[in-house]
Amino acid sequence: MKKILFLSLALMLSVGLWAETQTVSYRYPVYKTDGVATSGIKEWKTDEVTATVVTSSADVANWGTAGNTTWYVVKGANITLSKGAACTGDVRLILADGATLTATGVNGDYDTRNPGVQVSGDGNSLVIYGQAEESGHLIATGGEDFAGIGGRRYKSGSNITINGGIIMATGGSGAAGIGGGWEGSGSNITINGGIVTANGGGDGAGIGGGYSGSGSNITINGGTVTANGGVDGAGIGSGDKGPAASDIFVTTSLVVKADNSEHPSTVIENNGEDLAESLKGKQYATIEPKGTLTAEDFVISNNTATYDGEAKTATVAFKDDITGAGTITVTYKQNGEEVTPINVGTYDIYVSVAEGTNYNAATALTKDDWKFTIELPIGEWITLRTEVTANDWNTICVEHNITEIDGATFWNVVSETEKEFILEQEFAPFAAGVGYIIRYTATELKVKYEGDAVTNPVTATQDHPIQGNFAEITCDEHGTNDLVGNYVVYGNQLCKVTGWVTMADHRAYVVADLAPKQAPAPTGAPRMTMPKPNSTPTGLGQSAITNHKSAMKVIENGQFRIVRDNKMYNAQGIEL
């Protein structure tokens, strides 16, 4: 009875009925088309499963059973399979973060040699998963003529999927790192993630066929892959003397480099089509994700421009160490709205880049200090609008946010149809109006920026001198030229009359300058008295002003004055 019990226990242990199991997490990809690896990855998900914990073994570890899916997890930091492992059925292996599994296929007689992890034959497959940190390791080394992960001698290695982890697979002499053994093909191999290094032994491919074996149906959707072929073996593809490789697909978000240097630098054009021919004869290949651009990868220059009514742009370029990126597109925003930088002001700079050979596309990159400024040149007239007619003034005011202009706002009336004034409110497309002089003529609207040099008569005070040239002023329809060039006496001051100006509210202003102080008042010079409405001004000859209020605008001791109804006012309307 004891003997029977002992034999039963031994049998149970041998088939793993008492092996430890744990519920563990793993990451897996969801393909864009269900079950089709070449369609690319739509998203990554995380799930949990109960798996058998892999323990060290001096014998071949037989994983799985035919026709079934069996889960295993590597938890320890130093798990060793001295004679490798062999997969039967659908085997799922999770490399827990921080774990390391070393699977070594021994050399010696043919019957005793093994791949590091054998995946060969109909109905057998291996899927490797990582966890959140992708720090679990698998080191798989094949015995002579046997693949690191894949087939035995004369056997193909197929149905191998790597979703994560850090994988080092090295084939024995004449075998692939991942794929076929000596004279075996490598097919249906998919790498979706992880860091994978595959070294072909002798004449085997890094990933694909062993010596005289082909490589086919190899798909790489993600991760970082280094594939080093043996002597005359391809990095990815067929082994030496093998048939031509076929159906090798790499997602376009990865950069493919391949040549016969141990550190390949030749970029292989990757448009999502079969790369088998492009990789043919290239012993070394690397595949890695395209770089991700950040704002730190750009240099912004020429970010100040002078307004001229035309669209402007800053200069945006990649730093010297950025190569293989796509075309740069620069956009500008003000107050969060995308605009074309034409008008005076400050703009936020945004940079987008198309996908390139080495870098992914980037959208709307920006930094707080990425600013583009358009300024007005100081002292230069800038044309804002042409083909202006005398009746267009109201339209212009609306277009440029100019409020009603009254007589005191004019800086200089050059002629009946050419007037200048200084802004006292916002003037689109410019900022608040301090320092701007606007000239409106019958044919155009211009602006000149004088900055702090401009003093606005509208805001002048009794103690603030007014500058400007009134000598060119002429009369308009509400005045006459009778007094122009003559002198009038205002108080004890001798003033030279230079013209009349009439504003929108129909007030008429006599504009006069002080005569030189040394000039005596001419005998009989008219004394200025202010007329009542519907009357003729005393001493002003024929310069009658009918149905309008009247006033006199003078420069007295360098100060601005308005006289109306025999009273004197400053520019703010305060009686003096």
Side-chain angles (χ1 to χ4, degrees):
M1 185 68 178
K2 291 182 179 179
K3 184 176 180 180
I4 294 174
L5 180 60
F6 175 79
L7 291 173
S8 298
L9 291 172
L11 179 61
M12 293 171 68
L13 289 172
S14 68
V15 298
L17 295 179
W18 283 6
E20 180 185 1
T21 61
Q22 290 189 14
T23 299
V24 292
S25 65
Y26 64 98
R27 295 180 69 245
Y28 67 97
V30 177
Y31 296 130
K32 294 177 181 178
T33 300
D34 187 29
V36 181
T38 55
S39 68
I41 296 173
K42 176 182 178 181
E43 61 181 335
W44 285 85
K45 291 187 175 182
T46 300
D47 205 346
E48 290 186 343
V49 69
T50 300
T52 299
V53 178
V54 176
T55 58
S56 296
S57 174
D59 295 320
V60 176
N62 292 301
W63 290 343
T65 58
N68 295 313
T69 297
T70 310
W71 288 84
Y72 295 88
V73 60
V74 181
K75 296 282 288 186
N78 187 21
I79 306 301
T80 301
L81 302 178
S82 301
K83 293 184 180 180
C87 298
T88 302
D90 179 20
V91 174
R92 309 295 180 97
L93 178 66
I94 300 171
L95 300 176
D97 288 332
T100 298
L101 172 63
T102 302
T104 304
V106 298
N107 292 312
D109 294 337
Y110 173 76
D111 291 339
T112 60
R113 301 178 208 163
N114 295 295
V117 178
Q118 179 178 307
V119 190
S120 182
D122 293 340
N124 300 324
S125 62
L126 172 65
V127 183
I128 300 174
Y129 301 90
Q131 292 186 322
E133 297 177 6
E134 297 283 3
S135 61
H137 287 71
L138 169 60
I139 302 169
T141 304
E144 186 177 358
D145 300 339
F146 288 63
I149 301 175
R152 301 171 63 86
R153 185 176 185 180
Y154 307 125
K155 299 293 184 180
S156 65
S158 60
N159 302 321
I160 301 166
T161 301
I162 299 174
N163 290 324
I166 301 171
I167 313 298
M168 172 73 77
T170 302
S173 177
I178 301 175
W182 173 280
E183 296 189 358
S185 64
S187 63
N188 297 331
I189 299 169
T190 301
I191 299 174
N192 292 317
I195 300 173
V196 179
T197 302
N199 302 307
D203 298 318
I207 300 173
Y211 170 76
S212 78
S214 66
S216 63
N217 294 323
I218 299 170
T219 301
I220 301 176
N221 286 319
T224 300
V225 178
T226 301
N228 305 314
V231 178
D232 296 326
I236 302 174
S238 299
D240 184 29
K241 303 294 193 296
S246 64
D247 298 320
I248 300 175
F249 295 96
V250 178
T251 186
T252 56
S253 63
L254 300 176
V255 179
V256 182
K257 297 179 181 179
D259 51 37
N260 291 317
S261 167
E262 290 187 13
H263 302 286
S265 59
T266 305
V267 176
I268 304 299
E269 183 179 357
N270 178 24
N271 55 13
E273 297 181 355
D274 186 0
L275 296 181
E277 185 63 29
S278 299
L279 295 172
K280 180 181 178 180
K282 296 177 174 61
Q283 186 177 0
Y284 301 96
T286 60
I287 298 174
E288 57 188 3
K290 291 184 177 181
T292 299
L293 294 167
T294 69
E296 301 303 325
D297 295 319
F298 299 87
V299 176
I300 309 293
S301 59
N302 299 322
N303 55 346
T304 300
T306 300
Y307 175 85
D308 63 3
E310 301 293 331
K312 302 297 181 183
T313 185
T315 299
V316 180
F318 295 113
K319 289 185 176 178
D320 292 341
D321 59 344
I322 302 298
T323 59
T327 303
I328 294 175
T329 300
V330 182
T331 55
Y332 302 86
K333 291 184 179 182
Q334 285 184 321
N335 301 318
E337 297 293 329
E338 185 171 328
V339 294
T340 300
I342 296 177
N343 299 328
V344 170
T346 299
Y347 301 80
D348 298 317
I349 299 173
Y350 290 81
V351 175
S352 297
V353 183
E355 184 176 356
T357 55
N358 293 341
Y359 287 89
N360 289 312
T363 303
L365 299 175
T366 190
K367 293 175 63 178
D368 289 343
D369 60 351
W370 280 8
K371 304 294 182 182
F372 179 62
T373 302
I374 297 179
E375 301 174 340
L376 276 177
I378 294 181
E380 296 183 18
W381 287 108
I382 302 296
T383 300
L384 299 178
R385 179 173 171 177
T386 58
E387 299 181 1
V388 177
T389 67
N391 295 324
D392 283 344
W393 181 245
N394 288 337
T395 300
I396 293 170
C397 289
V398 171
E399 287 181 355
H400 296 281
N401 197 30
I402 304 172
T403 56
E404 182 181 357
I405 304 300
D406 63 17
T409 309
F410 279 106
W411 172 256
N412 187 20
V413 178
V414 180
S415 68
E416 179 179 351
T417 58
E418 187 170 353
K419 304 178 176 67
E420 295 176 0
F421 58 89
I422 295 177
L423 296 179
E424 59 180 340
Q425 73 285 317
E426 180 182 357
F427 181 74
F430 311 118
V434 176
Y436 298 110
I437 298 177
I438 307 303
R439 173 175 286 183
Y440 161 54
T441 74
T443 59
E444 62 186 359
L445 180 68
K446 292 184 176 182
V447 61
K448 180 168 67 173
Y449 180 63
E450 296 286 2
D452 294 338
V454 171
T455 303
N456 192 338
V458 178
T459 58
T461 65
Q462 185 173 357
D463 299 322
H464 191 187
I466 299 302
Q467 303 171 7
N469 178 15
F470 292 91
E472 298 179 359
I473 295 176
T474 59
C475 294
D476 66 13
E477 62 187 11
H478 296 292
T480 72
N481 290 323
D482 292 351
L483 291 181
V484 175
N486 294 318
Y487 291 87
V488 295
V489 177
Y490 174 67
N492 295 320
Q493 298 293 325
L494 180 65
C495 301
K496 185 176 182 179
V497 177
T498 58
W500 292 88
V501 179
T502 302
M503 311 321 304
D505 64 354
H506 303 296
R507 290 179 294 173
Y509 293 85
V510 174
V511 181
D513 284 336
L514 292 176
K517 289 185 178 180
Q518 64 270 24
T523 303
R527 295 278 173 173
M528 176 64 70
T529 60
M530 302 312 299
K532 301 295 183 182
N534 302 313
S535 67
T536 300
T538 302
L540 295 185
Q542 303 299 316
S543 56
I545 305 176
T546 305
N547 296 322
H548 301 296
K549 292 183 178 180
S550 60
M552 180 178 179
K553 175 179 178 181
V554 300
I555 301 295
E556 180 181 2
N557 296 326
Q559 308 298 314
F560 179 71
R561 301 286 186 270
I562 294 177
V563 180
R564 183 182 299 143
D565 298 332
N566 294 315
K567 294 182 180 179
M568 184 184 300
Y569 301 85
N570 66 12
Q572 286 71 43
I574 300 174
E575 184 176 353
L576 302 176

